[in-house]
């Protein structure tokens, strides 16, 4: 189980991404963070804290649950439905630059669902995608604007992101097995 | 972020699916399944607060609302829930169906089934009508009220409303007052609240208290002051005049004097009491207008929450029976 990012590396990566965000979005006036549940939410809140330290101002932050927009929801005739949790975007996304945050970018299907969900909340000026790990194997024409680490993987490997908030420690691990999906 | 809520179920053994094809009653549900519906409903409630109140979750699914009894609130609530999930909906009311030409319930259901709906929402005046359909239909059956038996989505939306206000169900004193004999809402609520650890009191005229009601783990009384004393929740039930053939009490005026919820009686309850009513209300019979429209009333919140709870049930049943090995 090779560890591809440890806690220090994750921390430094998020700081670097935060600086890139400030560089690309001069003014930061109309910027807001939206994290994809669950780990994208934790990462968005961390980025929000780093951005506050850098710019001295709060960035509005929301959380998006994409379950009801999944493209595989009705594909299986019989089986339990995935759990749905609350979406909470406590600000208008109209005319804002939305920084969409997820832990792993893989097939691009989660991002597609997140884009559809976001558009139902309004018409943002732009949406930029931030991912901690890009593991390749895209099935849709989707590309991240900020990447923590490009990680070449085989299709039967899986990428696990562990974060303090949900898992008790910070780590990104590459696993050889296929038993758990590494975030679609 | 919504406020944290506690239920009788700990995280480790929380359900991740309903272990059934149909929702026929609360009696069949385990506490963790009830908690799953309520948790899912919290997410669904947020969908109804968006500028675009629609998600694609049930796209391509067909839901038939088959109503053999008049209903405004429940039928519209289901229909809005179905539309918010992008399902195709079909409403069949008894007055315009073949039922008036003598078709049996089973034949009506089989004919509908031949058109491959995914879900049938049934309201019927006979207790057990949904169980009959459940046995002969492949579609998921959702009970929207069957005779004097159960009305599970009403109990779920009541529990959702209580949990939202009180942050818990366990340990609350809930007084249910009114026509206990004819009420399917009562039966579903008793099952749900006792499973979730509430202290349930029921109160009504002795002629309207079912004989064996204490067997369900509730305390029955005809003294309203005793039922209401220090109650966290007071739930009023409609006096169902259309189901009463005998003389159960002398007059509506006397019923109001003895059992009607007035501001004076309300003072006996807990200072943060909430007043609930499944509707439709008989003002001046089971509830005084000042109470129905007063600050303790959550009656309109119940209606709003009904849509979220029905979305949760439709969504959770749309994948079919899950996790059957654990059932």
């Amino acid at each position: 189980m090779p560890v591809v990012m440890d806690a220090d590396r994750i921390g430094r990566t998020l700081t670097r991404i935060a600086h890139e965000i400030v560089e690309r979005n001069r003014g930061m006036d109309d910027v807001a963070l939206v994290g994809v549940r669950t780990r994208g939410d934790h990462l968005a809140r961390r980025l929000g804290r780093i951005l506050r330290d850098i710019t001295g101002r709060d960035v509005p932050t929301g959380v998006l649950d994409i379950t009801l927009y999944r493209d595989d929801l009705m594909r299986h005739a019989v089986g339990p439905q995935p759990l749905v949790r609350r979406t909470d975007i406590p600000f208008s996304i109209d005319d804002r630059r939305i920084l969409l945050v997820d832990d792993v970018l893989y097939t691009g299907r989660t991002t597609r669902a997140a884009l559809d969900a976001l558009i139902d909340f309004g018409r943002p000026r732009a949406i930029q995608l931030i991912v901690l790990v890009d593991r390749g194997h895209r099935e849709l024409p989707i590309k991240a604007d900020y990447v923590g680490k490009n990680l070449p993987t085989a299709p039967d490997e899986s990428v696990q992101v562990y974060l303090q908030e949900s898992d008790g420690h910070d780590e990104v691990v590459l696993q050889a097995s296929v038993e758990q999906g590494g975030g679609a | 972020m919504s406020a944290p809520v506690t239920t009788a179920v700990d995280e480790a053994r929380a359900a991740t699916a309903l272990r059934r094809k149909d929702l026929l009653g609360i009696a069949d549900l385990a506490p963790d399944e009830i908690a799953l519906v309520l948790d899912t409903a919290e997410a669904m409630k947020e969908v109804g607060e968006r500028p675009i109140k629609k998600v694609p979750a049930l796209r391509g699914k067909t839901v038939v609302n088959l109503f053999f009894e008049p209903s405004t609130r429940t039928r519209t609530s289901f229909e809005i829930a179905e539309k918010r999930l992008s399902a195709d909906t079909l409403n069949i009311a008894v007055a315009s169906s073949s039922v008036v030409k003598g078709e049996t319930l089973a034949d009506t259901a089989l004919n509908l089934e031949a058109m491959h709906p995914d879900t049938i929402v049934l309201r019927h005046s006979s207790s057990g009508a949904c169980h009959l359909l459940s046995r002969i239909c492949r579609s998921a059956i959702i009970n929207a009220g069957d005779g004097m038996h159960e009305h599970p989505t009403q109990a779920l939306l009541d529990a959702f409303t209580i949990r939202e206000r009180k942050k818990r169900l366990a340990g609350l004193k809930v007084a249910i007052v009114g026509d206990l004999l004819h009420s399917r809402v009562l039966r579903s609520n008793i099952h749900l609240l006792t499973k979730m650890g509430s202290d349930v009191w029921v109160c009504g005229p002795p002629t309207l208290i079912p004989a064996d009601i204490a067997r369900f783990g509730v305390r029955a009384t005809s003294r309203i002051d005793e039922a209401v004393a220090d109650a966290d929740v007071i739930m009023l039930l409609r006096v169902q005049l259309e189901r009463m053939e005998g003389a159960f009490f002398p007059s509506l005026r006397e019923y109001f004097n003895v059992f009607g919820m007035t501001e004076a009686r309300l003072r006996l309850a807990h200072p943060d009491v909430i007043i609930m009513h499944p509707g439709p209300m008989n003002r001046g019979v089971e509830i005084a207008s000042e109470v129905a429209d007063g600050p303790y009333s959550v009656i309109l919140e119940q209606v709003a929450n009904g849509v979220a709870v029905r979305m949760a049930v439709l969504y959770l049943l749309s994948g079919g029976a899950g996790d059957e090995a654990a059932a």
Side-chain angles (χ1 to χ4, degrees):
Chain A
M1 257 200 354
V3 174
V4 289
M5 294 177 93
D6 60 14
D8 276 355
R9 179 84 191 266
I10 291 172
R12 274 182 279 125
T13 300
L14 290 176
T15 304
R16 189 202 81 219
I17 290 175
H19 279 99
E20 285 181 30
I21 292 168
V22 176
E23 191 182 0
R24 276 183 59 167
N25 299 279
R26 262 166 300 164
M28 294 287 291
D29 286 337
D30 53 358
V31 167
L33 287 157
V34 174
V36 177
R37 230 185 243 289
T38 306
R39 290 179 183 78
D41 177 32
H42 303 323
L43 293 171
R45 286 176 203 283
R46 289 193 198 184
L47 282 169
R49 286 194 290 273
I50 301 170
L51 287 168
R52 192 182 52 207
D53 291 344
I54 298 172
T55 66
R57 60 175 93 175
D58 286 317
V59 180
T61 305
V63 55
L64 189 63
D65 185 299
I66 57 99
T67 311
L68 297 169
Y69 291 82
R70 279 171 60 154
D71 61 5
D72 57 351
L73 209 50
M74 291 299 150
R75 290 286 301 279
H76 314 291
V78 170
Q81 291 290 40
L83 289 180
V84 189
R85 288 291 173 256
R86 208 176 155 86
T87 290
D88 188 21
I89 302 180
F91 47 85
S92 166
I93 71 165
D94 283 337
D95 301 318
R96 279 190 197 269
R97 278 178 288 187
I98 301 296
L99 304 170
L100 182 65
V101 186
D102 204 354
D103 56 350
V104 179
L105 179 58
Y106 181 30
T107 61
R109 288 175 190 272
T110 300
T111 306
R112 195 283 309 164
L115 292 173
D116 277 0
L118 270 180
I119 299 302
D120 279 358
F121 282 86
R123 187 178 186 279
R125 196 171 122 204
I127 300 175
Q128 299 168 8
L129 178 61
I130 301 169
V131 297
L132 185 62
V133 177
D134 181 349
R135 62 163 294 190
H137 305 286
R138 215 76 76 239
E139 293 169 5
L140 296 172
I142 280 168
K143 185 171 173 293
D145 299 276
Y146 309 86
V147 178
K149 182 177 176 57
N150 279 299
L151 184 65
T153 59
D156 62 346
E157 289 174 319
S158 87
V159 176
Q160 291 297 323
V161 173
Y162 300 101
L163 294 175
Q164 196 74 44
E165 295 89 332
S166 47
D167 313 294
H169 67 291
D170 281 359
E171 204 171 62
V172 179
V173 173
L174 182 63
Q175 284 172 328
S177 68
V178 288
E179 71 220 345
Q180 284 173 306
Chain B
M1 204 51 90
S2 58
V5 288
T6 58
T7 61
V9 181
D10 60 272
E11 285 280 312
R13 13 177 249 102
T16 56
L18 293 181
R19 295 183 283 270
R20 58 206 68 253
K21 163 175 109 42
D22 312 302
L23 179 65
L24 304 178
I26 302 293
D28 317 319
L29 294 181
D32 63 334
E33 292 177 286
I34 293 168
L36 174 67
V37 174
L38 302 183
D39 290 346
T40 306
E42 278 191 39
M44 296 300 182
K45 185 166 182 174
E46 181 272 326
V47 173
E49 292 160 0
R50 298 179 186 179
I52 296 177
K53 301 171 183 57
K54 200 176 184 76
V55 291
L58 261 57
R59 215 154 43 96
K61 296 275 179 179
T62 305
V63 182
V64 175
N65 299 314
L66 183 55
F67 277 66
F68 288 85
E69 272 190 334
S71 162
T72 312
R73 201 178 336 264
T74 305
R75 195 190 54 72
T76 39
S77 180
F78 267 109
E79 193 176 345
I80 291 173
E82 290 149 11
K83 287 183 157 61
R84 287 197 177 153
L85 290 170
S86 302
D88 295 311
T89 68
L90 185 67
N91 293 310
I92 300 176
V94 67
S96 59
S97 77
S98 299
V99 177
V100 292
K101 299 174 189 165
E103 191 174 62
T104 67
L105 171 63
D107 281 334
T108 304
L110 287 173
N111 277 280
L112 286 173
E113 238 324 71
M115 294 180 254
H116 300 293
D118 299 281
T119 305
I120 297 174
V121 178
L122 179 69
R123 157 75 57 102
H124 200 279
S125 58
S126 295
S127 307
C130 296
H131 291 75
L132 173 70
L133 286 211
S134 161
R135 283 195 296 275
I136 60 177
C137 292
R138 293 181 55 184
S139 323
I141 308 295
I142 298 177
N143 184 353
D146 63 330
M148 299 191 287
H149 175 233
E150 280 227 43
H151 190 353
T153 57
Q154 178 70 44
L156 287 163
L157 77 89
D158 290 340
F160 183 85
T161 306
I162 296 171
R163 201 177 76 152
E164 199 172 55
R165 284 300 192 113
K166 302 286 182 190
K167 308 301 173 204
R168 66 194 166 105
L169 294 170
L172 296 176
K173 178 176 178 181
V174 182
I176 308 179
V177 182
D179 179 351
L180 309 175
L181 189 60
H182 300 99
S183 178
R184 55 194 174 210
V185 174
L186 172 74
R187 270 165 262 281
S188 288
N189 261 304
I190 286 178
H191 285 306
L192 193 153
L193 292 168
T194 54
K195 278 173 204 260
M196 302 311 270
S198 306
D199 178 23
V200 183
W201 288 65
V202 297
C203 175
T207 48
L208 289 173
I209 298 181
D212 291 334
I213 193 130
R215 279 200 349 222
F216 292 98
V218 301
R219 280 187 268 191
T221 177
S222 285
R223 295 209 304 273
I224 181 130
D225 292 356
E226 187 185 18
V228 168
D230 214 30
D232 300 288
V233 177
I234 299 173
M235 195 181 289
L236 301 163
L237 299 175
R238 189 169 63 91
V239 175
Q240 302 192 38
L241 296 168
E242 76 278 14
R243 292 192 208 272
M244 290 187 193
E245 284 158 16
F248 289 96
F249 51 83
S251 71
L252 290 177
R253 176 172 295 212
E254 180 163 332
Y255 182 89
F256 181 70
N257 285 337
V258 181
F259 295 102
M261 192 49 54
T262 59
E263 285 186 320
R265 289 205 168 108
L266 211 50
R267 286 189 206 108
L268 300 170
H270 192 275
D272 290 329
V273 68
I274 55 173
I275 300 292
M276 308 178 77
H277 194 303
M281 275 188 283
N282 295 317
R283 287 171 185 264
V285 180
E286 66 264 2
I287 187 167
S289 270
E290 308 86 79
V291 175
D293 306 327
Y296 301 101
S297 168
V298 297
I299 294 170
L300 293 176
E301 285 175 38
Q302 288 175 268
V303 179
N305 291 338
V307 175
V309 164
R310 290 176 176 119
M311 286 171 76
V313 169
L314 286 159
Y315 169 76
L316 290 169
L317 290 178
S318 66
D323 203 8
E324 277 180 299

